Amino acid sequence: MSEARPPQPASRPGLDPAEAARRLAEHGPNLLPGSTPKSLFAIVRGVLTEPMFLMLLVAGGLYLALGDRAEAAFLLSAVFVVIGITLMQERKTQRALESLRELSAPRALVIRGGQEIRVPGREVVVGDLLVLHEGDRVAADAHLLDGHLDVNESLLTGEAVPVTKLPGNDAGELFASTVVTKGVGTAEVHAVAEFTAVGRIGQALSSTVEPVSKLQQASRRLIRNLATGGLLLATAYALLGWLWDGHGLLQSVLAGIALTMAILPEEIPVILTVFLALGAWRISRHKVLTRRVPAVEALGAISVLAVDKTGTLTQNRMQVAELRLVDDSSHDEDATELPEPFHELVEFAMLATPLDPFDPMEKAIQQFGLHWLTDTEHVHAAWSPEFEYGLSPDILAMTRVFRGDARAQHLLATKGAPEAVIDLCHLPAADAAAILRQVEAMAERGLRVLGVARGEWHGAARPRSQHDFDFRFLGLVGFVDPPRPEVPAAIAECRTAGVRIIMMTGDHPATARAIARQVGLSERAEVITGAEMATLDDAALHERLRHFDLCARLKPEQKLRLVQLLRDNGEVVAMTGDGVNDAPALKAADVGIAMGERGTDVAREAAALVLLDDSFASIVSAIRQGRRIYDNITKATRFVFAVHMPIIALALVPTLLHWPVLLMPVHIVLLELLIDPACSVVYEAEPAADDIMRRPPRAPSDSPFAVANLRYAVIQGLGFAGILLFGYGLLLGQNVDAAQSRGAVFIALVLGLFLLTLANRDLSHPALARTPEKNPWLPRMFGGVALMLAAVVSVPFLRGVMGLAVPGTAPLLAAAGMLTAAIAWLELLRHTARGSLRGAAAH
């Protein structure tokens, strides 16, 4: 029998153990270098110097200055929460590299000093001889010297079908971390640690910087500007009160502090933290784990979804998809029965396959055969071969020889590369050409094809080669890595939402084209390969990207290049994948999405999101949630700025007009305590708009802090402030007691906050038109507001602290009039601004 075996130890003595130890000491272990993690001090310093969290510290300090320890503790605790989150995120990259190190260092069987010994993978050195068998993970990059192997390289290339390895320059190259699915062989190590293919991916992963989200950038700019302007204005106000009005220094400083609290929207970092955290929790209910919280915001802006084929669009398992006989009759996977003419083909494909195989195509053969032929005479589970011929460099086919019956002393079952099986059958040229045309047609449909033959043999001495037998060609078996059933509908919904999908795979162009056609990914059949990409500069590649959606035969660095190129051209890119080869691109994308069940540890650690159920449809659910979260942050931001206008005006204007103080620091503290729940709870629970997945992705330049959104909020709030100030002036002009006037305006202000909450839910409807049942928190919030207001007005102690008096009939009528005028103002503004604001803030 001519089965390829590794050489005997005596024929290849391998490295001397002492030399191996010397090389290990000189070059270090076969592990990827770990990056040095940031110190705790560096991480804390980085968090505290962010403008968003400086704002939290300032606001917390101001509350402490006023003696409100509860609010100060709440704001300052948010800083510690963010420090904890940042520590976890910093650890993420470290864990990714550690996963790579563990993955690249399995135990290895090596030949040293003429003996086979098993050593830890980290002790493998350059020059070692690896002895490889079915199921082994390759410990280092190596050249195959002897034998024949089938190796699953999907970890690196994304191609599901095992690759045949034969001794030679290119055909015999083995890569660390790949898995031998069939055969035995001996290979010489030529690269270890960071010099392996998987090591280069680790280096790319450690040097790839996670992008800062657009929302983070916009909020940093806004808070920095507002903090500067607010502090300057508050300082001027304090000096004005001290020098012009003759107030005491302490009183002026406290008034300045109160105005600072009214000006600074410290709710913004709270909104971002709470909304994104709760959004991550809501997304987790759709089987999507969030590993990087800012990615939740980016989900809603995704314009390009770059998907890996193997394991993402497909199931990463082989399946018999088609049978074809010599007469060109065929049987496909959709058939409801297996006609009798195909039974012999399947029977001998099973006989040529081990009963419990490791190879994915052999597993598919056994599963297919048992499904169709169980309880027939064509299943021979009790048969075991007397001997067999394995694949060899000369003959890419294997033959198993069984004891025959009365008609034939032995039965032969053969399967392998179609051209090799055709050659074993000694077919006429015309017949061989016809079969090869069938093979080519099946390959164009994305199928991996094997030929099957049967033979009979009478004799005692085993022939040296399979060529010494007589075979009859039975037919072809086509295999496919089937698409996931939920993918076509998910892709269609992405297209409706304006999200472009690009396939990035290491597989064959024909396979990529076939899968794309099956799932409806693209109507454009053109495929660009990694080899073509290598010849193009970035400008030329960007131009080509306009005309194709399928990328095949890509190397890991080319996936990374495509993601970076798309981002550089203004796209918001999500990248899905499951292999080590996807990790750098997953980390570089705006939203990296890894498969949780089939994905590697490295991919999961590098990604921002992990699909726990590996369902492509979960990506669509995550995008829908991301858009809803962004919409609700926009609504909450608009509400915050609208509410701050009357608070600022009511704190500032009466002093400038020498009226009695309207809002004291204690009022502002109470209002600030009301604003946070209104923003964080009510708007976070707002349901998604009906058309949320029928809109195109928002522009990358869009922001909740866009001028149009904030301008509308400021005008909305200033109008409301003007109504309240006008009412306060009228009451004072009617000689109503200042405490009663203050009470009436305070009641109108607090109830007006609820009006503003309703008005900013949906600018396409009047504030009071929609019922609150869609948002369960609205009635609860209104009940809480009413109880708080009733307590402040009715409880003498609280009323005294707040400087209020129970309003009489006239002040109460004035408060009702102010609220009526506020409703009219909000509706007038909504109608006036609807056209100009619809694109920017209607949702």
Side-chain angles (χ1 to χ4, degrees), residues 2 147-148 166-167 390-397 420 423-424 465-467:
S2 60
H148 169 277
L166 302 171
L391 291 160
S392 67
D394 299 327
I395 306 174
L396 296 180
D423 183 52
L424 290 177
S465 170
Q466 299 176 69
H467 272 296

Side-chain angles (χ1 to χ4, degrees), residues 477-550:
V477 181
F479 301 84
V480 69
D481 182 7
R484 295 179 176 273
E486 74 276 8
V487 167
I491 286 178
E493 190 167 0
C494 283
R495 186 174 290 110
T496 302
V499 179
R500 179 188 178 194
I501 301 180
I502 297 177
M503 181 192 293
M504 296 183 183
T505 180
D507 218 331
H508 191 278
T511 306
R513 190 181 294 111
I515 292 296
R517 184 171 57 249
Q518 291 178 48
V519 300
L521 186 146
S522 174
E523 296 178 356
R524 299 187 284 196
E526 183 179 358
V527 181
I528 188 170
T529 65
E532 294 176 72
M533 278 181 51
T535 65
L536 302 175
D537 59 23
D538 285 352
L541 181 56
H542 175 249
E543 180 59 31
R544 287 289 305 278
L545 273 172
R546 299 174 184 270
H547 306 293
F548 63 82
D549 300 312
L550 308 179

Side-chain angles (χ1 to χ4, degrees), residues 142-441:
H143 296 301
L144 185 64
L145 301 178
D146 293 290
H148 169 277
L149 302 174
D150 279 1
V151 181
N152 186 332
E153 296 182 344
S154 61
L155 193 74
L156 286 169
T157 66
E159 186 171 357
V161 177
V163 180
T164 298
K165 299 292 183 178
L166 302 171
N169 292 332
D170 295 328
E173 183 65 21
L174 301 173
F175 300 104
S177 302
T178 58
V179 179
V180 178
T181 62
K182 184 187 296 184
V184 289
T186 304
E188 182 177 2
V189 173
H190 66 82
V192 296
E194 70 267 25
F195 301 104
T196 63
V198 71
R200 290 190 291 272
I201 293 176
Q203 290 177 323
L205 179 61
S206 62
S207 63
T208 302
V209 179
E210 293 180 349
V212 178
S213 77
K214 302 292 191 300
L215 189 58
Q216 287 175 308
Q217 296 171 351
S219 64
R220 288 174 182 176
R221 288 194 300 268
L222 176 73
I223 290 174
R224 188 184 298 114
N225 295 337
L226 287 177
T228 302
L231 289 173
L232 290 175
L233 182 60
T235 302
Y237 176 67
L239 292 174
L240 184 66
W242 180 41
L243 299 176
W244 182 38
D245 284 344
H247 297 154
L249 179 60
L250 179 59
Q251 184 180 359
S252 298
V253 170
L254 287 174
I257 290 174
L259 182 62
T260 302
M261 287 192 299
I263 293 173
L264 301 183
E266 69 272 13
E267 302 90 354
I268 294 298
V270 175
I271 287 171
L272 296 182
T273 301
V274 171
F275 277 46
L276 295 179
L278 288 178
W281 171 75
R282 290 183 185 275
I283 290 174
S284 71
R285 297 166 68 185
H286 295 273
K287 303 294 185 181
V288 180
L289 173 67
T290 302
R291 296 185 52 79
R292 182 158 57 88
V293 173
V296 174
E297 172 261 328
L299 273 171
I302 290 171
S303 58
V304 174
L305 179 56
V307 295
D308 178 53
K309 179 189 70 65
T310 304
T312 306
L313 297 178
T314 67
Q315 301 176 29
N316 196 22
R317 65 177 181 85
M318 300 307 294
Q319 172 180 304
V320 175
E322 183 177 334
L323 303 176
R324 189 164 292 273
L325 302 179
V326 178
D327 63 5
D328 208 25
S329 58
S330 64
H331 171 276
D332 60 43
E333 55 188 331
D334 296 326
T336 58
E337 60 179 12
L338 183 67
E340 181 63 33
F342 293 92
H343 287 194
E344 185 181 28
L345 170 61
V346 177
E347 174 187 4
F348 277 81
M350 293 178 69
L351 285 173
T353 302
L355 290 177
D356 186 19
F358 187 85
D359 182 84
M361 286 199 295
E362 292 187 332
K363 285 184 177 180
I365 289 173
Q366 290 290 5
Q367 291 169 358
F368 183 86
L370 292 175
H371 173 73
W372 289 109
L373 301 182
T374 296
D375 298 328
T376 71
E377 72 277 11
H378 298 286
V379 176
H380 310 285
W383 288 18
S384 60
E386 288 194 353
F387 59 94
E388 59 185 88
Y389 297 84
L391 291 160
S392 67
D394 299 327
I395 306 174
L396 296 180
M398 63 175 296
T399 298
R400 306 179 86 211
V401 182
F402 299 88
R403 173 67 63 180
D405 52 23
R407 293 178 300 166
Q409 187 176 350
H410 292 88
L411 283 178
L412 312 175
T414 296
K415 74 175 190 302
E419 57 274 18
V421 177
I422 289 170
D423 183 52
L424 290 177
C425 294
H426 310 295
L427 293 174
D431 294 343
I435 294 173
L436 290 176
R437 285 194 296 270
Q438 294 177 355
V439 172
E440 185 177 351

Side-chain angles (χ1 to χ4, degrees), residues 615-657:
S615 172
F616 189 83
S618 298
I619 299 174
V620 181
S621 297
I623 292 174
R624 184 185 299 108
Q625 286 294 320
R627 291 188 175 192
R628 185 195 67 83
I629 292 164
Y630 179 86
D631 280 2
N632 292 344
I633 289 176
T634 300
K635 296 171 185 177
T637 302
R638 190 165 60 233
F639 170 77
V640 166
F641 277 83
V643 165
H644 271 263
M645 292 302 104
I647 296 176
I648 294 170
L650 298 185
L652 180 62
V653 172
T655 301
L656 296 176
L657 296 178

